[in-house]
Amino acid sequence: MSMLLTTPRSASIHLHNWCSIISRPSFSIQPISRFSAHPKPQSLLKNILNSRRFSTRAFDVEKNEVLSDKDEKNEVGTELGDNGSIGGYNDDKYPSGEFVFREYDLWESFTVKLKMLFAFPWERVKKGSVLTVKIRGEISDQLKSRFSSGLSLPQICENFIKAAYDPRIAGIYLHIEPLSCGWGKVEEIRRHILDFKKSGKFIVGYVPACGEKEYYIGCACEELYAPPSAYFQLYGLTVSASFLGGVLEKVGVEPQIQRIGKYKSAGDQLARKNISDENREMLTALLDNIYGNWLDKISLAKGKKKEDIENFVNEGVYEVERLKEDCWITDIKYDDEVISLLKERLGLPSIKTLPTVDYRKYSRVRKWTLGLTGYKDKIAIIRASGSISRTRGPLSVSSSGIIAEKFIEKIRSVRDSKIYKAVVIRIDSPGGDALASDLMWREIKLLAASKPVIASMADVAASGGYYMAMAAQAIVAENLTLTGSIGVVTGKFNLEKLYEKIGFNKEIISRGRYAELTAAEQRPFRADEAELFAKSAENAYKKFRDKAAFSRSIAVDSMEEVAQGRVWTGSDAASRGLVDAIGGISRAVAIAKQKANIPLDKQVTLVEMSRPSSSLPEVLSGLGNTIVEADNAIKELLQDMASSTGIQARMDGIVFEKLEEASYANVIFKLVKDYLRSI
């Protein structure tokens, strides 16, 4: 857990998660102009001056609070050995949640057809249609309104399930373009492709540009096609860590960083010039996990040996003909040729148009119309996606991350309701405000005392995201979810040398021995100030670690071994007691049914508590106003920076990227390079 102590509201420097898996901004030094996607290079110096110090606060968690909570029943899947040590991971303890396709009986078929007869006009689909889905770029874990741009993972997955049961849908034609989401979402999409195939309907993939993530999804399709000029770059994966220590040294800025946890590398990005041994160890383990999982799944899908897959990657193959020759793709076809093949499959004359329904239109088809809802037992789904803040700021938009006060309202409404038998909290967050994380932890804990609560992790649930999850009775993560990151980093900037260079002076009159602790950026810490700063960070770390140990029923000493700021993949986290089961949201629902004493073969109604609302900017964006869309994105970024006051519980800076992306991934270095040229 990265807890970055930031400035009062007038300042804005803070760290983001450098992780392409969730596509967050790489690094923020200043509020960005409304009309510019990146800060101007010449403003870098000015913003370092404005963003000069970090405030100090700690968790409001006392030992007596933890002790009082011990009376509550805490059900977790961790097996404990002697003295509360972490034992082996038992995946059989929980139901798998595997999708089972069930044919409708005569009465159900008649009911569905009757509902279709009276369906709304926008739910009408021609019989024998092909569902066309184009997945590319960022994929949100939140539901989207009809006017919102971008793709929504829950709506993609829901469309696959609806299409499996919809008698009007003959199959799916899936266009796969370069993706910016993480491996957790990629795994969920792949799982739903395999589930859809159980219906007996076809699913055909098309990949004009393909890397490891795109192929990971595409190889699950029944057939996979690519045009003759397709870009295939299956060259392997990289992980990188970037450092500004040398740059800040040149301009006279000294980051005074206090980190607790040998793997807590967020401060390293500011203070160091190279990677530490501990950070290298952690990043290497993460990369080995991701690459090893990719090789395993591809070899299984293609019926090849893992060694053969790895050798193929190491050859650097880029010719599409070679891919066809080695059976990596079905054939080389243009899009129109694939459509012709689909028409032949459906028995349509070549002169006729292929009947299709696109992703957006099909998202408006209700599950009720297909008989997939309306069951008596209800399970609430509460989604928490994005950076964590305590309150909604003046620049926030409707999709501005996790707002604690709004999230708590949903938790309390579900807790007070007798309608819901269980709750699944879906988390996709690198963390954020530590106080907000703790307040949400408390509310989730109270909810778990009244009904079963299961946490389901998407791409990332680290630091503040993991803080939320550990209040649940069981945690489910994907194999490659990034989680953990239980650690502390705090500090301030000493601008003494910079001020000397530019002739700037600052005098402070204060009362109180430590009044200048974070106010005096024109000098380094005094010895007593540095000691207080270190003790404050150590205290915050121990409170978080101890609360994690209590929540997971693990001895503090054992938790210390897996904490220290280290980021784990879901599979590694499970073997260390931080996660209970591996799987997607379907498995989380199955575990919720089990804990609520609902028979596993009994259908339940999933109620989304985070339904989207269409704001005016979203409506205009949906109508094609790209200026409003850009303004909306900038406002969201500004809000994320403006709300970063107090302790920040964020995941460390990690960048996972494909080899072909490495040349332009580190935008911050280009910005600094341009700045240095200009002075």
Side-chain angles (χ1 to χ4, degrees):
M1 167 178 163
S2 173
M3 295 162 26
L4 185 63
L5 305 186
T6 59
T7 61
R9 293 188 180 274
S10 59
S12 60
I13 190 163
H14 59 285
L15 292 177
H16 284 281
N17 161 40
W18 285 25
C19 181
S20 62
I21 292 176
I22 58 172
S23 301
R24 298 292 301 166
S26 295
F27 184 82
S28 296
I29 292 184
Q30 66 156 3
I32 299 176
S33 165
R34 291 172 63 88
F35 304 103
S36 174
H38 302 285
K40 294 181 179 180
Q42 58 266 31
S43 63
L44 180 62
L45 180 61
K46 176 182 177 182
N47 290 300
I48 291 178
L49 291 173
N50 289 336
S51 308
R52 56 191 178 272
R53 62 187 182 275
F54 300 103
S55 65
T56 53
R57 284 190 289 151
F59 284 111
D60 295 328
V61 181
E62 301 297 335
K63 289 184 179 179
N64 59 353
E65 178 186 341
V66 175
L67 291 172
S68 66
D69 283 343
K70 287 185 178 180
D71 294 332
E72 298 178 12
K73 185 177 180 181
N74 186 35
E75 299 179 2
V76 295
T78 306
E79 300 293 335
L80 299 179
D82 295 334
N83 302 320
S85 61
I86 301 173
Y89 164 56
N90 181 15
D91 191 63
D92 296 330
K93 182 175 181 178
Y94 296 110
S96 67
E98 183 178 355
F99 176 78
V100 178
F101 181 76
R102 183 180 61 86
E103 294 280 356
Y104 284 148
D105 58 31
L106 291 176
W107 172 250
E108 288 172 326
S109 296
F110 172 76
T111 304
V112 169
K113 290 177 181 178
L114 189 63
K115 288 180 178 179
M116 289 179 179
L117 185 64
F118 294 99
F120 293 116
W122 53 82
E123 295 185 278
R124 304 291 172 84
V125 177
K126 187 176 180 180
K127 187 173 178 59
S129 292
V130 174
L131 173 61
T132 59
V133 181
K134 294 183 179 181
I135 56 174
R136 62 161 68 96
E138 295 185 15
I139 300 178
S140 171
D141 202 64
Q142 293 280 20
L143 293 169
K144 297 273 189 177
S145 71
R146 57 177 296 194
F147 296 108
S148 299
S149 60
L151 296 170
S152 163
L153 179 67
Q155 287 169 334
I156 291 173
C157 296
E158 182 180 290
N159 279 354
F160 277 40
I161 295 172
K162 290 188 299 186
Y165 284 97
D166 195 334
R168 303 167 299 180
I169 299 296
I172 295 177
Y173 183 29
L174 183 64
H175 273 244
I176 309 169
E177 299 275 2
L179 296 166
S180 300
C181 63
W183 287 96
K185 294 190 182 80
V186 168
E187 187 70 63
E188 189 78 73
I189 293 172
R190 188 176 191 272
R191 181 183 297 113
H192 276 78
I193 291 174
L194 297 175
D195 289 345
F196 175 81
K197 290 166 69 175
K198 295 177 182 178
S199 67
K201 300 178 181 181
F202 68 82
I203 179 166
V204 173
Y206 183 74
V207 280
C210 185
E212 283 75 15
K213 287 180 183 176
E214 295 74 33
Y215 191 77
Y216 192 76
I217 292 175
C219 71
C221 296
E222 183 181 333
E223 299 172 10
L224 185 63
Y225 296 94
S229 55
Y231 296 126
F232 264 82
Q233 294 181 317
L234 303 177
Y235 300 153
L237 300 170
T238 66
V239 56
S240 67
S242 305
F243 303 94
L244 292 170
V247 176
L248 295 177
E249 183 181 297
K250 287 182 181 294
V251 297
V253 176
E254 179 196 4
Q256 293 191 290
I257 304 297
Q258 181 66 47
R259 72 173 188 176
I260 308 298
K262 62 182 180 180
Y263 297 102
K264 179 52 61 177
S265 59
D268 290 356
Q269 298 169 356
L270 294 173
R272 292 183 64 93
K273 299 178 182 179
N274 53 20
I275 193 169
S276 67
D277 292 339
E278 294 82 5
N279 195 17
R280 184 182 296 277
E281 175 193 345
M282 179 180 70
L283 296 181
T284 300
L286 291 173
L287 182 61
D288 287 344
N289 248 307
I290 294 172
Y291 189 53
N293 179 80
W294 188 86
L295 292 174
D296 289 339
K297 293 292 179 69
I298 300 302
S299 63
L300 184 64
K302 306 309 295 181
K304 298 176 181 286
K305 294 181 179 179
K306 183 177 177 179
E307 295 76 15
D308 294 337
I309 299 295
E310 191 166 14
N311 290 337
F312 186 89
V313 170
N314 290 334
E315 285 184 44
V317 176
Y318 58 88
E319 303 97 335
V320 182
E321 294 77 13
R322 174 73 186 281
L323 292 163
K324 177 187 175 183
E325 179 184 329
D326 287 6
C327 300
W328 283 68
I329 61 175
T330 306
D331 204 350
I332 303 172
K333 299 283 185 184
Y334 284 106
D335 180 48
D336 62 288
E337 294 177 307
V338 178
I339 291 175
S340 296
L341 289 176
L342 294 179
K343 286 194 286 187
E344 289 179 18
R345 179 182 289 228
L346 296 176
L348 297 174
S350 58
I351 59 172
K352 283 203 170 186
T353 303
L354 181 72
T356 62
V357 55
D358 65 24
Y359 158 84
R360 288 198 174 277
K361 181 180 178 182
Y362 198 66
S363 294
R364 301 178 68 189
V365 176
R366 295 169 298 166
K367 289 191 292 183
W368 177 86
T369 304
L370 301 171
L372 298 175
T373 189
Y375 305 109
K376 179 181 178 181
D377 295 323
K378 293 179 172 62
I379 294 178
I381 308 292
I382 303 177
R383 297 185 181 272
S385 182
S387 184
I388 298 171
S389 56
R390 193 160 56 90
T391 59
R392 188 183 298 279
L395 295 173
S396 64
V397 292
S398 59
S399 58
S400 294
I402 305 168
I403 310 299
E405 62 181 7
K406 296 294 182 183
F407 182 85
I408 288 172
E409 286 179 8
K410 294 175 186 175
I411 291 289
R412 289 176 176 173
S413 67
V414 172
R415 188 178 73 206
D416 294 339
S417 174
K418 296 182 180 179
I419 297 175
Y420 307 108
K421 297 293 184 67
V423 182
V424 172
I425 298 178
R426 176 74 169 179
I427 302 172
D428 187 28
S429 172
D433 184 82
L435 173 58
S437 302
D438 185 59
L439 295 177
M440 291 188 290
W441 177 89
R442 177 63 179 174
E443 293 296 330
I444 295 171
K445 198 74 177 173
L446 292 174
L447 176 62
S450 63
K451 58 190 68 178
V453 178
I454 311 299
S456 171
M457 297 177 171
D459 283 340
V460 57
S463 294
Y466 183 75
Y467 200 116
M468 296 170 61
M470 67 189 191
Q473 293 167 341
I475 300 175
V476 182
E478 294 287 2
N479 249 324
L480 301 180
T481 294
L482 297 186
T483 189
S485 189
I486 303 170
V488 172
V489 60
T490 182
K492 77 164 188 175
F493 286 114
N494 171 25
L495 305 182
E496 182 179 20
K497 292 182 180 179
L498 177 61
Y499 284 178
E500 288 177 1
K501 287 182 179 181
I502 63 177
F504 180 82
N505 184 41
K506 179 178 179 180
E507 301 288 345
I508 298 178
I509 301 173
S510 61
R511 295 292 183 273
R513 181 178 178 182
Y514 297 107
E516 298 181 16
L517 186 68
T518 58
E521 81 286 348
Q522 79 280 12
R523 62 171 177 80
F525 283 131
R526 300 190 309 262
D528 60 334
E529 289 176 331
E531 182 181 2
L532 177 65
F533 215 66
K535 287 181 178 179
S536 174
E538 182 71 34
N539 180 62
Y541 170 71
K542 286 181 178 178
K543 286 183 176 180
F544 179 45
R545 179 203 61 193
D546 293 352
K547 180 166 282 191
F550 159 70
S551 298
R552 298 297 300 161
S553 294
I554 298 174
V556 172
D557 290 344
S558 298
M559 179 58 70
E560 175 68 15
E561 295 176 6
V562 299
Q564 300 203 38
R566 181 154 186 169
V567 178
W568 303 95
T569 59
S571 55
D572 279 350
S575 66
R576 288 161 175 81
L578 298 177
V579 166
D580 298 302
I582 299 299
I585 195 168
S586 59
R587 187 167 198 189
V589 169
I591 296 173
K593 289 166 66 175
Q594 180 190 57
K595 289 187 175 293
N597 296 319
I598 301 173
L600 295 178
D601 59 350
K602 187 177 181 180
Q603 299 296 318
V604 296
T605 295
L606 303 181
V607 181
E608 291 280 358
M609 305 301 295
S610 306
R611 300 303 301 184
S613 59
S614 299
S615 62
L616 181 58
E618 287 176 333
V619 173
L620 295 175
S621 175
L623 295 174
N625 192 328
T626 56
I627 296 176
V628 173
E629 182 177 351
D631 181 63
N632 199 43
I634 292 171
K635 280 184 177 180
E636 183 175 347
L637 180 56
L638 285 170
Q639 166 61 20
D640 189 45
M641 292 186 290
S643 64
S644 298
T645 59
I647 297 175
Q648 294 296 297
R650 296 179 186 269
M651 191 176 73
D652 297 346
I654 299 172
V655 181
F656 277 98
E657 60 196 9
K658 297 177 199 167
L659 192 60
E660 67 270 18
E661 295 173 341
S663 61
Y664 57 84
N666 299 324
V667 180
I668 183 64
F669 284 127
K670 183 178 184 301
L671 185 147
V672 172
K673 180 181 176 182
D674 291 342
Y675 165 72
L676 292 175
R677 283 177 176 174
S678 67
I679 60 176

